[in-house]
């Protein structure tokens, strides 16, 4: 052996510090961890994001949580050879498995030799983390790592961290094949509620909800920016902290130092100048950058910045781009320092003209303000229908307070008040603006918007519904709905959707709102209001996407200067957390804080809506705080003259009282129900929503079907319920667990003992396999008996066994049944029912079949077949929804079908068709590109 060792080449030096897992800190975010290390996560994960986005922290948290051996390697540029990579991997893996033979195998300097050594080791599940992979970009070490990923034993899970996609690893192929789970910069961005939790529980420095939202906006949820802000403010009082958030800008020394050292250093001068000079645009396109710089080739530069995750994002497939808010602010400070005040004003004026010509009016207005061209600011405000919101206290653009003696600025200021929910001030502001200019057209605009604001005053009578201005018609319809839904429940669009929502008809509201989204030419505020109302209609069964959809509304509302919608959407994020299983310990405190903040800001309508929704969530969770929130909603609704909202609050309070006091409160509940009915509100659905269900319900496509007291779930994760309670199957030995899963997958069907032995004990002789099978069957039988199930659940028929649970809802069987029923309904011409049945299949398919068992031969074929059934249901649903005019449903169904099986053209075609009909041409173009890319990867 010593001679063999002497013959080996000298291995490169291994630095133990590179094999040390970083200390764990920061906020644990399950929404990220589950995608990398959850039960159904692939064995290969990749986290890609710019410097300071939290990649290493996330990987360290997952490594600390893992209950399997861990090997960690932090790559660096000086170790870019294959031999160096092999030495470090071998040392990390050998230490994790306490096997010096693996370390010895690393002396070869060859990946294939290391893989051979690992294959000779008894298989053990192990987690390998390779961080800072970008340091190896384009090197032989990166290519060697790609070979290791392909050749490694599948018991080795791998997580990669990199600032940009690794060019030597075909991540696109791995993603399409389902072998790779990937998180990107937008996934890593802290959401508003996560910022609150970070400062409350990690930094021990609580922020108000408004400050948390402002800090999230100004840092873009960038992890390093939040950390640096905390370090700079950790000695401040609560009031000083809130003030510091308001004053946060690109001149923060710590943030500037971090960006200069970790982001801008190392860039070539041409790239640095490109970033610096184009930062003034706000919204970037190749043409605008070329015009601004008097050059060509900006398109490739922007694509490269976005591909490398260099603080650059696009939401429309590369038509326009944006720099991360923190980076852009820093670049603007550097530009002012380099060009001087006069030079910077000239550069902003130049960019403003380009932006205005391209139709990007909001960024153009900011650029004119930075150029000190206040005449152009007033001209743009006069020409457009938006107002700018910078803070909640004063009309400020570009850091300068505007005098409001200009009639157009005064008009925009009044609109800002209205959009902030400060109704009384808005009414006075519109009146003041009207008095400043003796122009009939201008006064008519002021009068319309003043009338819109006046309708929301408590004492205002219902205005005529047939108003000449469409905005006024919508506003008055919504206001009437807060007093009685009877007159407006059949109205089209947003008004009818909100009316059905307030009437308690959640299904009807969902349908009406989805249909409203397909109407062409809707203003941005109405689109966002429809999306917000649609989430309210789904509160009784939120899913993982609900909070993300609301976050998208928050960001869009902030971008379009719609603070009332942004505030309500943020509040509903906490409500969704309350209704879902993802509720955090701070959801109630954060939600209550935002409700209080609405009161302090004078936004009483948002306060009423959010207090009502928070009260319903508390009632759902049986939290006594709910009655306090509902009392607040009741009082506020009375002051606002909104009897429909009062009916909701009273009905929910009556429900809480019945639950707490029983019979004595039922008379009060009956009175509340009768009063609600007088306003057109049917509280029956409301009462169901407010009480946690014992079993899942079917509604509008449903999440799951109601079945018996026993439930067998094999999709996404294995679950077995007996009498509504989980069976303790994890207490079985590993082969017993596999046997139970095998028989559950084939519930009600016989499996021959030799088939079972071949699947679960492939290495055993028949005689020893029979004994092992009998022992495992006995242990499973005892487990089921202990859960309260009757004898005979496992039956032996000759040499075969089968699992037959009484009164059981079997998830796999239900999918098969619904799939057959969908086709039968469609053949009979019942297209609506067929669509709902297909959607139920999609909802029931919660993940791959038995992911716990990995790529075992006995499950792979059935797993792929069921995935195909679900993908086919998605394509059928998209086709039917498209034919019925339900475009949003068609988009979701087609996207789900593509997610499950991207290699069929039909769902891609349906997705593009639906997006085109919705008028979302940029999204349709993105879908076409993704389809072409998928075909290219297949060689088509």
């Amino acid at each position: 052996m010593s001679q063999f060792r002497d013959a080996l080449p000298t291995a490169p030096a291994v630095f133990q510090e590179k094999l040390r897992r970083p200390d764990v800190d920061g906020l644990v975010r399950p929404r990220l961890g589950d995608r990398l290390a959850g039960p159904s996560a692939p064995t290969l994960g990749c986290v890609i994001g710019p410097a300071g986005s939290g990649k290493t922290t996330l990987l360290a948290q997952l490594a600390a949580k893992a209950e399997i051996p861990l090997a960690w390697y932090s790559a660096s540029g000086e170790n870019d050879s294959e031999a160096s990579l092999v030495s470090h991997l071998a040392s990390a893996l050998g230490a994790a498995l306490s096997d010096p033979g693996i370390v010895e195998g690393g002396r070869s300097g060859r990946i294939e030799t290391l893989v051979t050594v690992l294959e000779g080791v008894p298989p053990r599940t192990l987690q390998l983390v390779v961080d800072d992979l970008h340091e190896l970009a384009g090197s032989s070490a990166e290519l060697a790592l790609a070979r290791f990923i392909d050749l490694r034993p599948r018991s080795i899970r791998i997580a990669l961290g990199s600032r940009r996609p690794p060019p030597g690893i075909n991540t696109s192929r791995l993603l399409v094949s389902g072998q790779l789970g990937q998180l990107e910069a937008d996934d890593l961005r802290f959401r508003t509620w996560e910022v609150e939790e970070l400062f409350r529980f990690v930094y021990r420095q609580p922020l108000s909800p408004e400050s948390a939202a402002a800090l999230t906006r100004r840092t873009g949820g960038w992890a390093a920016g939040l950390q640096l802000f905390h370090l700079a403010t950790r000695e401040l009082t609560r009031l000083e902290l809130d003030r510091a958030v308001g004053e946060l800008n690109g001149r923060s020394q710590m943030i500037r130092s971090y960006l200069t050292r970790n982001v801008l250093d190392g860039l070539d001068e041409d790239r640095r100048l490109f970033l610096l000079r184009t930062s003034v645009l706000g919204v970037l396109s190749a043409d605008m950058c070329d015009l601004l710089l008097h050059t060509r080739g900006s398109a490739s530069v922007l694509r490269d910045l976005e591909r490398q995750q260099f603080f650059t994002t696009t939401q429309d497939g590369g038509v326009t781009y944006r720099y991360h808010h923190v980076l852009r602010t820093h670049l603007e400070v550097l530009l002012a320092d380099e060009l001087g005040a006069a030079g910077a004003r000239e550069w902003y004026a130049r960019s403003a003209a380009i932006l205005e010509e391209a139709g990007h009016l909001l960024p153009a207005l900011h650029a004119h303000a930075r150029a000190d061209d206040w005449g152009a600011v007033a001209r743009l405000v006069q020409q457009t229908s938006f107002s700018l919101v910078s803070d909640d206290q004063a009309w400020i653009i570009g850091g300068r307070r505007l005098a409001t003696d200009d009639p157009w600025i005064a008009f925009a200021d009044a609109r800002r008040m209205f959009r902030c929910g400060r109704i009384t001030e808005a009414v006075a502001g519109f009146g003041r603006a009207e008095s400043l200019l003796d122009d009939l057209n201008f006064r008519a605009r002021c009068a319309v918007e003043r009338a819109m604001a006046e309708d929301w005053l408590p004492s205002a009578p219902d205005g005529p519904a047939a108003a000449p201005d469409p905005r006024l018609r919508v506003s008055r319809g919504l206001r009437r709905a807060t007093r009685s839904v009877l007159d407006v429940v059949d109205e089209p669009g947003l008004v009818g959707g909100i009316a059905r929502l307030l009437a308690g008809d959640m299904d009807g509201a969902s349908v009406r709102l989805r249909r409203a989204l397909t109407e062409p030419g809707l203003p941005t505020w109405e689109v966002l209001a429809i999306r917000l109302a649609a989430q309210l209609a789904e509160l009784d069964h939120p899913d993982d996407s609900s909070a993300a959809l609301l976050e998208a509304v928050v960001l869009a509302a902030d971008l379009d200067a719609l603070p009332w919608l942004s505030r309500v959407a943020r509040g509903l994020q906490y409500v969704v957390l309350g209704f879902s299983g993802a509720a955090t310990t701070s959801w109630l405190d954060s939600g209550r804080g935002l409700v209080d903040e609405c009161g302090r800001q004078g936004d009483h309508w948002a306060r009423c809506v959010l207090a009502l929704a928070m009260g319903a969530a508390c009632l759902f969770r049986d939290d006594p705080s709910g009655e306090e929130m509902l009392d607040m909603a009741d009082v506020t609704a009375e002051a606002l003259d909104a009897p429909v909202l009062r009916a909701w609050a009273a009905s929910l309070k009556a429900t809480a009282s019945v639950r707490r006091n029983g019979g004595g409160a039922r008379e009060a509940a009956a009175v509340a129900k009768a009063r609600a009915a007088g306003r057109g509100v049917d509280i029956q659905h409301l009462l169901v929503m407010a009480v946690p269900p014992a079993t899942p319900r079917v509604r509008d496509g449903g999440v799951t079907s109601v079945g018996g007291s026993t439930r067998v779930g094999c999709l996404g994760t294995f679950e077995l319920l007996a009498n509504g309670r989980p069976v303790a199957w994890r207490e079985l030995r590993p082969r017993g667990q596999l046997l139970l899963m095998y028989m559950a997958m084939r519930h009600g069907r016989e499996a021959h003992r030799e088939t079972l032995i071949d699947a679960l004990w492939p290495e055993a002789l028949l005689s020893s396999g029979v004994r092992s099978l009998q022992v495992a069957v006995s242990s499973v039988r005892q487990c089921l008996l202990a859960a309260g199930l009757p004898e005979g659940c496992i039956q032996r028929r000759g040499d075969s066994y089968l699992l037959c649970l009484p009164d059981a809802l079997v998830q796999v069987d239900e999918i098969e049944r619904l799939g057959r029923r969908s086709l039968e309904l469609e053949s009979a011409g019942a297209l609506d029912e067929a669509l709902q049945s297909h959607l139920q299949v999609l909802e029931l398919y919660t993940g791959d079949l038995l992911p716990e068992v990995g790529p075992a031969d006995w499950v792979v074929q059935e797993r792929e077949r069921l995935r195909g059934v679900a993908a086919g249901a998605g394509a059928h649903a998209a086709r039917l929804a498209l034919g019925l005019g339900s475009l949003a449903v068609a988009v979701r169904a087609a996207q789900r079908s593509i997610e499950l099986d991207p290699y069929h053209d039909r769902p891609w075609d349906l997705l593009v068709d639906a997006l085109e009909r919705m008028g979302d041409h940029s999204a349709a173009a993105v879908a076409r590109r993704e389809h072409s890319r998928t075909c290219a990867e297949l060689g088509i």
Side-chain angles (χ1 to χ4, degrees):
M1 184 67 184
S2 62
Q3 292 175 346
F4 172 73
R5 187 179 296 114
D6 292 340
L8 289 173
T10 303
V14 174
F15 299 96
Q16 293 302 312
E17 182 61 22
K18 295 182 180 180
L19 308 183
R20 185 185 67 83
R21 187 198 75 201
D23 295 332
V24 178
D25 57 3
L27 180 71
V28 175
R29 296 187 280 170
R31 69 178 177 87
L32 301 180
D34 290 346
R35 289 176 58 183
L36 285 183
S40 58
T43 57
L44 176 63
C46 189
V47 185
I48 301 175
S53 56
K55 302 180 297 296
T56 300
T57 297
L58 173 62
L59 292 172
Q61 288 171 343
L62 294 179
K65 184 181 177 182
E67 298 178 353
I68 55 177
L70 169 73
W72 184 285
Y73 172 44
S74 297
S76 56
E78 65 271 16
N79 301 124
D80 59 356
S81 67
E82 178 175 348
S84 181
L85 174 79
V86 171
S87 294
H88 281 90
L89 290 185
S91 296
L93 294 166
L97 295 175
S98 302
D99 190 333
I102 298 176
V103 180
E104 193 72 21
R107 292 172 59 84
S108 68
R110 296 282 300 162
I111 278 292
E112 286 75 11
T113 303
L114 176 59
V115 171
T116 301
V117 172
L118 290 169
E119 287 175 341
V121 175
R124 289 179 61 191
T125 304
L126 175 144
Q127 178 70 62
L128 168 65
V129 177
V130 181
D131 197 17
D132 295 329
L133 180 56
H134 55 274
E135 295 282 356
L136 306 180
S139 69
S140 59
E142 185 186 50
L143 296 176
L145 180 61
R147 299 204 307 277
F148 180 77
I149 289 171
D150 287 337
L151 300 174
R152 78 190 192 282
R154 285 307 183 260
S155 58
I156 299 178
R157 301 180 63 91
I158 298 180
L160 308 173
S162 179
R163 290 187 183 177
R164 56 193 66 92
I169 300 174
N170 192 344
T171 53
S172 297
R173 175 181 62 82
L174 294 168
L175 276 170
V176 169
S177 65
Q179 299 177 62
L180 172 66
Q182 184 166 291
L183 298 175
E184 297 184 341
D186 187 63
D187 300 306
L188 296 171
R189 179 176 54 80
F190 274 73
R191 296 348 187 198
T192 303
W193 72 88
E194 291 172 336
V195 171
E196 283 197 61
E197 291 193 331
L198 177 70
F199 276 80
R200 181 189 300 271
F201 296 116
V202 179
Y203 297 154
R204 305 293 178 185
Q205 194 180 21
L207 289 170
S208 69
E210 290 291 335
S211 292
L215 183 59
T216 306
R217 284 196 303 271
R218 289 170 183 169
T219 61
W222 180 45
L226 297 169
Q227 166 75 357
L228 294 170
F229 177 81
H230 161 64
L231 292 175
T233 59
R234 55 188 169 184
E235 303 299 328
L236 300 183
T237 65
R238 176 69 175 268
L239 289 176
E240 291 170 334
L241 183 65
D242 288 343
R243 189 179 305 117
V245 172
E247 296 170 354
L248 181 65
N249 57 46
R251 293 197 175 274
S252 166
Q253 186 58 44
M254 296 180 76
I255 290 179
R256 292 188 67 187
S257 175
Y258 185 95
L259 288 170
T260 300
R261 185 173 64 252
N262 292 282
V263 177
L264 299 179
D265 278 359
L267 288 178
D268 61 63
E269 185 62 16
D270 288 344
R271 183 59 55 86
R272 191 189 77 88
L273 280 175
F274 181 91
L275 289 165
L276 198 65
R277 295 302 175 94
T278 58
S279 64
V280 297
L281 290 170
V283 176
L284 301 96
S285 71
D287 290 343
M288 289 193 296
C289 291
D290 284 346
L291 278 173
L292 183 65
L293 301 174
H294 291 304
T295 187
R296 292 182 179 179
S298 297
S300 62
V301 176
L302 291 169
R303 281 198 303 269
D304 193 43
L305 288 170
E306 193 270 337
R307 183 184 61 80
Q308 295 184 9
Q309 301 274 311
F310 194 88
F311 287 83
T312 306
T313 58
T314 178
Q315 299 296 323
D316 50 20
V319 178
T320 59
Y321 297 82
R322 291 180 185 271
Y323 295 145
H324 192 292
H325 176 83
V326 174
L327 177 64
R328 180 193 171 193
T329 306
H330 175 55
L331 290 170
E332 289 185 288
V333 170
L334 289 179
L335 183 72
D337 291 343
E338 290 193 14
L339 297 183
R345 284 196 298 272
E346 181 181 344
W347 197 252
Y348 275 107
R350 185 170 164 181
S351 70
I354 293 172
L355 287 163
E356 197 171 339
E357 178 68 24
H360 297 289
L361 300 182
L362 188 58
L365 197 149
H366 277 283
H368 280 309
R370 295 297 297 265
D372 276 346
D373 188 351
W374 302 106
V377 170
R379 173 177 54 79
L380 271 189
V381 171
Q382 176 180 352
Q383 291 176 353
T384 57
S385 61
F386 58 73
S387 62
L388 276 184
V389 178
S390 51
D391 67 15
D392 284 338
Q393 302 303 324
W395 178 252
I396 300 173
I397 306 178
R400 169 169 170 173
R401 185 185 299 267
L402 270 66
T404 55
D405 53 356
D406 181 290
W408 287 101
I409 298 298
F411 174 68
D413 190 42
R415 177 178 284 157
R416 177 181 69 86
M417 294 291 187
F418 188 34
R419 293 184 174 190
C420 285
R422 288 148 64 173
I423 306 300
T424 303
E425 295 168 78
V427 170
F430 284 122
R432 180 173 180 273
E434 191 174 352
S435 69
L436 292 174
L437 183 62
D438 189 14
D439 178 86
L440 292 179
N441 289 332
F442 176 75
R443 289 192 167 190
R445 291 182 66 175
C446 288
V448 167
E449 301 215 16
R450 186 181 73 250
M452 288 173 60
E454 286 174 340
D455 283 338
W456 294 92
L457 291 172
S459 58
D462 285 336
D469 190 285
R471 295 171 301 164
L472 191 54
R473 287 198 298 273
V474 171
S475 177
R476 284 183 174 166
L478 294 175
R479 181 61 169 113
R480 292 166 75 90
T482 66
R483 288 172 168 153
S484 175
V485 299
L486 296 173
D487 296 335
V488 291
V489 73
D490 293 322
E491 289 289 319
L494 175 63
V495 173
I498 292 287
R500 288 181 181 270
L501 183 67
L502 292 177
D505 178 10
M506 302 303 172
D507 292 340
S510 292
V511 171
R512 184 64 57 89
L513 292 165
R514 286 198 296 265
R515 189 178 302 153
L517 274 178
T518 66
E519 296 176 9
L522 291 177
T524 300
W525 73 267
E526 194 166 347
V527 171
L528 294 179
I530 291 170
R531 289 165 57 189
L532 193 61
Q535 288 304 304
L536 266 172
E538 303 292 331
L539 272 183
D540 61 337
H541 57 268
D543 56 27
D544 293 340
S545 65
S546 299
L549 290 171
L550 286 167
E551 179 77 4
V553 173
V554 171
L555 295 175
D558 285 338
L559 191 63
D560 285 281
L562 299 166
W564 190 89
L565 284 170
S566 173
R567 188 176 294 140
V568 173
R570 281 192 286 115
L572 289 183
Q573 286 178 325
Y574 301 121
V575 176
V576 164
L577 291 175
F579 272 103
S580 71
T584 59
T585 54
S586 65
W587 76 275
L588 180 56
D589 288 341
S590 299
R592 184 188 289 116
L594 185 56
V595 170
D596 293 342
E597 190 72 30
C598 289
R600 288 193 294 272
Q601 295 290 335
D603 186 357
H604 301 296
W605 282 101
R607 182 174 187 251
C608 183
V609 170
L610 293 181
L612 191 59
M614 287 293 298
C618 289
L619 185 56
F620 181 87
R621 299 180 67 84
D622 204 17
D623 189 307
S625 303
E627 294 191 57
E628 173 192 344
M629 302 299 293
L630 294 171
D631 282 334
M632 183 187 302
D634 192 359
V635 170
T636 309
E638 183 179 19
L640 292 171
D641 186 23
V644 168
L645 298 183
R646 283 203 73 193
W648 276 68
S651 300
L652 282 169
K653 285 196 295 182
T655 302
S657 181
V658 168
R659 182 190 295 177
R660 186 179 63 254
N661 300 323
R666 295 189 184 278
E667 292 182 5
V671 171
K673 182 176 181 180
R675 288 178 178 172
R679 297 288 177 176
V681 178
D682 179 2
I683 68 169
Q684 193 57 43
H685 180 85
L686 176 65
L687 301 183
V688 173
M689 184 182 79
V691 179
T695 57
R697 302 186 301 280
V698 175
R699 189 170 84 68
D700 191 22
V703 204
T704 47
S705 301
V706 177
S709 59
T710 305
R711 183 177 187 275
V712 182
C714 296
L715 299 172
T717 185
F718 181 64
E719 178 186 43
L720 184 56
L721 300 179
N723 301 315
R725 296 181 180 179
V727 173
W729 62 272
R730 293 186 183 276
E731 296 179 4
L732 293 167
R733 300 179 79 113
R735 298 296 173 94
Q737 294 180 14
L738 291 176
L739 175 63
L740 178 58
M741 291 181 194
Y742 188 107
M743 299 178 76
M745 179 186 77
R746 297 173 52 85
H747 184 270
R749 288 175 287 164
E750 296 179 4
H752 195 276
R753 69 179 186 182
E754 292 184 13
T755 303
L756 291 169
I757 293 168
D758 286 343
L760 306 180
W761 292 271
E763 74 285 355
L765 298 174
L766 180 59
S767 57
S768 60
V770 168
R771 287 194 298 273
S772 299
L773 174 60
Q774 290 171 345
V775 170
V777 167
S778 177
S779 65
V780 171
R781 184 177 285 121
Q782 294 302 316
C783 174
L784 298 179
L785 286 171
L789 289 165
E791 292 198 35
C793 288
I794 295 186
Q795 301 174 14
R796 180 174 179 178
R797 297 178 182 175
D799 288 336
S800 298
Y801 294 88
L802 77 155
L803 177 68
C804 188
L805 300 172
D807 191 27
L809 170 68
V810 183
Q811 193 179 21
V812 172
D813 292 349
E814 188 72 358
I815 281 184
E816 302 277 15
R817 184 189 67 79
L818 286 169
R820 291 191 298 270
R821 181 171 180 270
S822 302
L823 299 178
E824 291 168 359
L825 288 168
E826 192 171 341
S827 299
L831 301 185
D832 282 317
E833 293 85 346
L835 172 60
Q836 294 305 316
S837 191
H838 283 306
L839 291 175
Q840 282 185 335
V841 172
L842 281 183
E843 296 293 344
L844 275 172
Y845 188 83
T846 52
D848 284 341
L849 178 67
L850 296 177
E852 293 87 350
V853 305
D857 291 340
W858 55 269
V859 76
V860 168
Q861 185 175 352
E862 183 68 3
R863 181 183 290 161
E864 291 303 315
R865 188 187 70 80
L866 285 171
R867 177 186 274 258
V869 169
H876 282 299
R879 175 177 52 78
L880 289 172
L882 204 57
L884 294 169
S886 299
L887 300 183
V889 175
V891 168
R892 290 198 297 271
Q895 287 173 335
R896 180 61 173 148
S897 180
I898 291 167
E899 178 186 333
L900 293 170
D901 186 355
Y903 299 121
H904 284 83
D905 293 335
R906 186 56 177 154
W908 285 105
D909 295 339
L910 291 166
L911 175 61
V912 170
D913 192 2
L915 291 170
E916 291 283 7
R917 292 196 202 180
M918 292 175 70
D920 198 344
H921 301 293
S922 61
V926 172
R928 287 195 191 92
R929 280 197 293 272
E930 288 297 319
H931 186 200
S932 299
R933 188 179 306 163
T934 302
C935 292
E937 288 171 358
L938 290 174
I940 301 174

